[in-house]
Amino acid sequence: MPRYTVHVRGEWLAVPCLNSTNTIQWLGKEAVRRYMKNKPDNGGFASVEEVRFYMRRCKGLGLLDLDDTVGDALEDNEFVEVVIEGDIMSPDFIPSQPEGVHLYSKYREPEQYISLDGNSLTTENLVDLGKGLYKIKLTPEAEAKVKQSREVIERIVKEQTVVYGITTGFGKFARTVIPNSNLRELQVNLVRSHSAGVGKPLTPERTRMLLALRINVLAKGYSGISLETLEQVIEVFNASCLPYIPEKGTVGASGDLAPLSHLALGLIGEGKMWSPKSGWADAKYVLEAHGLKPITLKPKEGLALINGTQMITSLGCEAVERAGAIARQADIIAALTLEVLKGTTRAFDTDIHAVRPHRGQAEVAFRFRSLLDSDHHPSEISESHRFCDRVQDAYTMRCCPQVHGIVNDTIAFVKDIITTEINSATDNPMVFAEREETISGGNFHGEYPAKALDYLAIGVHELAAISERRIERLCNPSLSELPAFLVTEGGLNSGFMIAHCTAAALVSENKALCHPSSVDSLSTSAATEDHVSMGGWAARKALRVIEHVEQVLAIELLAACQGIEFLRPLRTTTPLEKVYDLVRSVVRPWIKDRFMAPDIEAAHRLLVEQKASAGFWLMHRIV
């Protein structure tokens, strides 16, 4: 028998439907009737018939036609809302969807699994888990370690030993001993009180990454969580039930307490939760819709769920992977610009870079040679200016290996730190089963990923800074030998004039964002946590910097392709022609002025999806 979960004025009601030909209006009236039945004053209504309402899905907030049948309009156990005319939106209902939620419209539950052991997760793995490409299971070795550490906790509780976070309060209350009868309540109170974040919720992808990374850390077997509870957490992840996690509120020591507490709050069936099936709803209803039960916390388990650097580090994984992708594509875009501006390839000669053997510099020079080598890929554009009298190019073209190169080396450095961090135990206290004891330490401090992500932002920003200067050269006729702002009938048309301004604005904004957050610290928790990393902000602003870099390079890519139009019928090298064809598959040439923002977004999407460095027959040699 189909059943629907209906939200009416802050309450959730399960409404069974015996007949699929019943209408949406019937469903709404039945939900209102049940709502009135639960209220001493009938909710302020004399009868169901006098209630005027409309209905919408909780997932996507689409309005429903009251005359449609439930069988045609709804899936079994779908979540819907009755909105009564004249009502103000219930304050405990979250009408806004997470950013990027539309990407889940075609979500399909994955069939493949990634086995986690706490030691071998990669940044690529975590990003794929965030995209919903895999489910999770534990290795047998991880299960054994989790059981062993839990046995230590059970012994401490049984013997009533005074141990921080297990039989005592937290932070300033570390010397307050809690009776055994209150230990479960202690853990629930911890999760509730620490769920104090603010701001918009993390996207589904980022929430999945955070949850997956917390599972990986727990799988190491140093947290003291029970295998039963950890398996419940994994079931929640595999069902894609994602708690509401505000993005702001962590100082990055003692770990990411606020966001991880919001994560744990959903796991215990409190707060809000979202899934592709339900949209936003109370966590207990979302879990129930997926056949899951809220977790009942045992001693130490609340602390095990919320102590660690997983917010900083999961966002850091996304940042370092996106940074690597845009760095590879920046080389391709810069090479295309060099062709349009009729630059020389002499600066990429092997011997030049052999005498300054930085790895990143050598890699970038090799990519430029591979893309521009006229012996393998004849370029009619290059041939057209072979005997010109110019001796050398501007730094923005000639020095790409040196500037792009250190970006590549920065990304590699940061990726090494982030990879170590995602496979590290960052709890407190740590449970060492082989020693049969717990030890309080400071692995929760986020300074490592915070400093690394500040460095990443500073490094990757330079790709946008140098790209903006190349855009200027493309648009400035005194530097490019092309029409002003890359458009015919200048004056009547403005062409790329303001697109360049947009790039300049993004670069300027990045300069402020590149100020390191980890140089700041504010004492918290009554001076118990008297030095903090501010790593949450480091991670979030690194992602914002990278997004701006992607957008600036998208503008350069469009401008370079537009420059090609003025050099036709001459053709560039085969791989760069393929890049041109890719862009032209989504953005047509700029003949006269038109609405430009969609073009920039289309090019940005190509870069986010790494289309500019994938699918070309040469790319396996240079990526």
Side-chain angles (χ1 to χ4, degrees):
M1 176 175 57
R3 188 193 71 160
Y4 305 99
T5 305
V6 187
H7 186 260
V8 183
R9 284 185 166 177
E11 293 192 11
W12 292 94
L13 303 157
V15 181
C17 183
L18 293 172
N19 190 342
S20 61
T21 61
N22 286 337
T23 64
I24 297 295
Q25 185 168 38
W26 170 88
L27 179 62
K29 285 186 175 181
E30 180 63 16
V32 171
R33 186 186 68 77
R34 290 168 181 251
Y35 166 79
M36 292 171 59
K37 186 178 179 181
N38 293 336
K39 299 293 180 182
D41 62 349
N42 288 333
F45 301 115
S47 69
V48 173
E49 299 304 323
E50 78 167 38
V51 180
R52 297 290 177 265
F53 61 85
Y54 62 91
M55 296 188 68
R56 62 183 182 184
R57 303 176 193 275
C58 292
K59 182 178 72 173
L61 305 181
L63 289 176
L64 294 166
D65 190 322
L66 297 181
D67 294 328
D68 283 351
T69 65
V70 293
D72 290 338
L74 301 175
E75 298 178 6
D76 184 22
N77 204 18
E78 190 160 347
F79 284 55
V80 296
E81 183 191 20
V82 173
V83 182
I84 296 171
E85 288 185 6
D87 275 3
I88 298 174
M89 180 64 64
S90 171
D92 67 347
F93 182 73
I94 303 168
S96 62
Q97 297 294 330
E99 185 180 322
V101 73
H102 63 280
L103 300 175
Y104 272 63
S105 60
K106 297 180 180 179
Y107 174 80
R108 294 292 180 269
E109 190 172 308
E111 297 180 358
Q112 292 182 294
Y113 285 81
I114 284 181
S115 296
L116 298 185
D117 59 7
N119 302 307
S120 53
L121 187 66
T122 67
T123 55
E124 295 90 345
N125 289 157
L126 192 60
V127 169
D128 285 343
L129 285 164
K131 292 176 181 176
L133 302 181
Y134 298 97
K135 291 183 178 180
I136 286 173
K137 62 182 177 181
L138 297 178
T139 64
E141 295 77 13
E143 291 179 352
K145 292 203 70 172
V146 169
K147 288 180 180 178
Q148 290 167 4
S149 68
R150 186 61 199 176
E151 289 171 0
V152 175
I153 301 300
E154 298 292 351
R155 178 178 56 79
I156 289 170
V157 173
K158 183 178 180 180
E159 296 176 0
Q160 299 186 11
T161 308
V162 178
V163 177
Y164 172 74
I166 302 173
T167 56
T168 75
F170 311 97
K172 192 68 175 177
F173 299 121
R175 297 182 181 180
T176 304
V177 179
I178 309 298
N180 275 20
S181 59
N182 292 339
L183 293 185
R184 290 178 184 268
E185 184 181 357
L186 172 70
Q187 300 300 311
V188 173
N189 287 346
L190 173 72
V191 171
R192 288 171 176 163
S193 65
H194 285 44
S195 298
V198 297
K200 64 183 181 181
L202 296 182
T203 63
E205 289 82 1
R206 290 173 182 171
T207 306
R208 285 177 63 89
M209 288 174 66
L210 179 60
L211 181 53
L213 186 52
R214 193 61 207 162
I215 291 168
N216 190 60
V217 171
L218 294 171
K220 289 185 73 70
Y222 295 100
S223 304
I225 198 168
S226 68
L227 182 59
E228 174 193 6
T229 298
L230 182 52
E231 287 175 339
Q232 281 186 273
V233 178
I234 292 171
E235 287 177 351
V236 171
F237 176 88
N238 289 343
S240 200
C241 296
L242 308 175
Y244 178 87
I245 304 173
E247 65 178 5
K248 300 177 184 179
T250 176
V251 295
S254 165
D256 295 317
L257 291 172
L260 287 171
S261 294
H262 281 277
L263 185 73
L265 191 71
L267 298 175
I268 66 174
E270 299 185 15
K272 300 296 176 184
M273 187 174 272
W274 182 92
S275 82
K277 178 178 180 179
S278 67
W280 283 116
D282 290 357
K284 62 181 179 181
Y285 289 106
V286 177
L287 292 172
E288 183 181 329
H290 292 80
L292 303 172
K293 294 181 179 179
I295 289 170
T296 301
L297 296 174
K298 306 179 185 69
K300 213 277 187 183
E301 290 192 327
L303 190 59
L305 287 170
I306 73 169
N307 210 204
T309 61
Q310 284 67 59
M311 170 78 159
I312 306 170
T313 317
S314 60
L315 295 182
C317 282
E318 179 187 343
V320 79
E321 285 300 307
R322 285 176 68 174
I326 196 59
R328 291 189 294 272
Q329 294 172 108
D331 295 343
I332 298 169
I333 295 166
L336 186 60
T337 295
L338 182 138
E339 273 283 272
V340 172
L341 295 175
K342 298 181 178 179
T344 177
T345 61
R346 294 284 289 170
F348 312 122
D349 187 279
T350 304
D351 288 343
I352 289 178
H353 302 283
V355 296
R356 195 193 192 196
H358 291 297
R359 179 178 298 176
Q361 178 176 328
E363 288 176 353
V364 173
F366 174 71
R367 288 181 188 145
F368 270 76
R369 290 195 303 272
S370 300
L371 287 161
L372 298 167
D373 187 346
S374 58
D375 289 338
H376 288 88
H377 316 293
S379 166
E380 294 173 351
I381 295 175
S382 179
E383 189 64 27
S384 72
H385 60 87
R386 179 187 290 272
F387 302 108
C388 70
D389 58 359
R390 282 186 293 175
V391 177
Q392 57 187 18
D393 294 320
Y395 289 2
T396 50
M397 296 183 286
R398 193 195 335 163
C399 298
C400 280
Q402 292 78 5
V403 177
H404 290 201
I406 183 56
V407 177
N408 281 268
D409 288 341
T410 299
I411 294 167
F413 172 79
V414 173
K415 186 169 184 174
D416 183 62
I417 288 179
I418 295 295
T419 301
T420 298
E421 188 74 6
I422 64 177
N423 291 293
S424 297
T426 55
D427 293 37
N428 185 56
M430 306 286 287
V431 182
F432 293 94
E434 63 276 10
R435 294 170 57 172
E436 296 189 356
E437 63 178 316
T438 64
I439 303 176
S440 287
N443 277 5
F444 49 69
H445 200 294
E447 198 73 9
Y448 260 100
K451 278 285 188 286
L453 291 168
D454 278 337
Y455 183 30
L456 182 69
I458 293 168
V460 177
H461 157 73
E462 214 58 42
L463 295 176
I466 196 170
S467 173
E468 182 274 330
R469 291 292 80 204
R470 291 193 297 263
I471 296 169
E472 157 70 6
R473 300 192 76 82
L474 286 165
C475 291
N476 188 334
S478 64
L479 300 174
S480 68
E481 301 177 9
L482 297 170
F485 305 112
L486 301 170
V487 71
T488 56
E489 295 188 78
L492 177 63
N493 296 299
S494 296
F496 279 72
M497 181 188 296
I498 304 305
H500 173 231
C501 290
T502 298
L506 293 172
V507 169
S508 180
E509 190 170 327
N510 271 2
K511 292 174 184 177
L513 289 170
C514 283
H515 177 79
S517 66
S518 60
V519 300
D520 186 28
S521 177
L522 287 171
S523 179
T524 59
S525 194
T528 303
E529 300 163 7
D530 57 349
H531 183 277
V532 300
S533 72
M534 297 300 176
W537 176 224
R540 290 192 294 112
K541 70 184 183 63
L543 279 167
R544 192 182 301 182
V545 167
I546 291 163
E547 182 177 43
H548 291 167
V549 171
E550 293 165 347
Q551 290 164 335
V552 172
L553 281 159
I555 293 170
E556 183 186 355
L557 178 59
L558 290 176
C561 287
Q562 181 64 15
I564 290 282
E565 305 299 339
F566 296 105
L567 302 179
R568 292 301 193 208
L570 300 179
R571 295 177 64 80
T572 181
T573 64
T574 302
L576 292 180
E577 284 290 342
K578 289 183 179 294
V579 175
Y580 169 87
D581 290 342
L582 172 70
V583 173
R584 287 291 170 253
S585 72
V586 295
V587 177
R588 68 185 189 276
W590 196 270
I591 306 302
K592 61 181 181 178
D593 282 352
R594 62 174 186 263
F595 183 18
M596 181 171 269
D599 291 352
I600 297 173
E601 177 54 34
H604 181 214
R605 179 54 49 191
L606 290 178
L607 299 182
V608 170
E609 295 174 354
Q610 303 183 46
K611 294 289 182 65
S613 62
F616 307 121
W617 65 272
L618 179 70
M619 290 300 104
H620 71 280
R621 287 183 54 203
I622 64 173
V623 174

